[in-house]
Amino acid sequence: MPKILLVEDDFLIAYDVKAQLEDAGLEVVGPASSNEDADALIQPGAVHAAVLDMDLGGVTSFPTASRLKDLGIPFVFVTGNDQAELKGSLAGSAVHTKPVHFPRLIDTLKSLTASK
């Protein structure tokens, strides 16, 4: 079963996303509400993909995204922010806008983890 790291600082959104992903047959790791919390959950083999809120209480999740990218772990941003904020190696990353369209997000995650 694919393990999805969830990084979201809003408790209600995190709860909803976690429930939707689990209902779709995905295992959720977290949620983590900060880059530090997420960093502690990223271990080899511990996660196969990630869902990242771009804004974690005024701090971007870019450090977590960069670490995931370096480790070859795919991720998707779920955010109300503008995709234009993605610069450098994160430019062109997958972005789903809030409110979350769960069938689309689940399809994306299943595609990213097809071999897991």
Side-chain angles (χ1 to χ4, degrees):
M1 175 184 303
K3 297 176 185 172
I4 309 299
L5 173 65
L6 175 57
V7 182
E8 170 62 63
D9 64 327
D10 183 297
F11 173 79
L12 293 176
I13 293 172
Y15 180 83
D16 191 27
V17 172
K18 180 175 170 52
Q20 294 283 341
L21 297 182
E22 288 176 343
D23 286 349
L26 299 167
E27 182 179 336
V28 176
V29 177
S33 60
S34 68
N35 287 304
E36 295 77 17
D37 291 346
D39 198 45
L41 296 173
I42 301 170
Q43 304 297 325
V47 296
H48 301 114
V51 174
L52 308 175
D53 181 6
M54 196 181 292
D55 180 1
L56 303 171
V59 177
T60 70
S61 62
F62 298 165
T64 298
S66 293
R67 180 158 185 238
L68 291 166
K69 187 172 181 107
D70 290 346
L71 294 171
I73 300 170
F75 59 88
V76 57
F77 287 108
V78 174
T79 184
N81 292 18
D82 189 349
Q83 188 170 359
E85 293 183 36
L86 297 174
K87 307 279 190 231
S89 68
L90 297 178
S93 295
V95 176
H96 288 244
T97 56
K98 289 181 180 175
V100 179
H101 183 264
F102 287 107
R104 183 172 160 243
L105 177 61
I106 290 163
D107 284 348
T108 298
L109 291 170
K110 287 187 174 181
S111 174
L112 292 174
T113 61
S115 64
K116 304 298 177 203

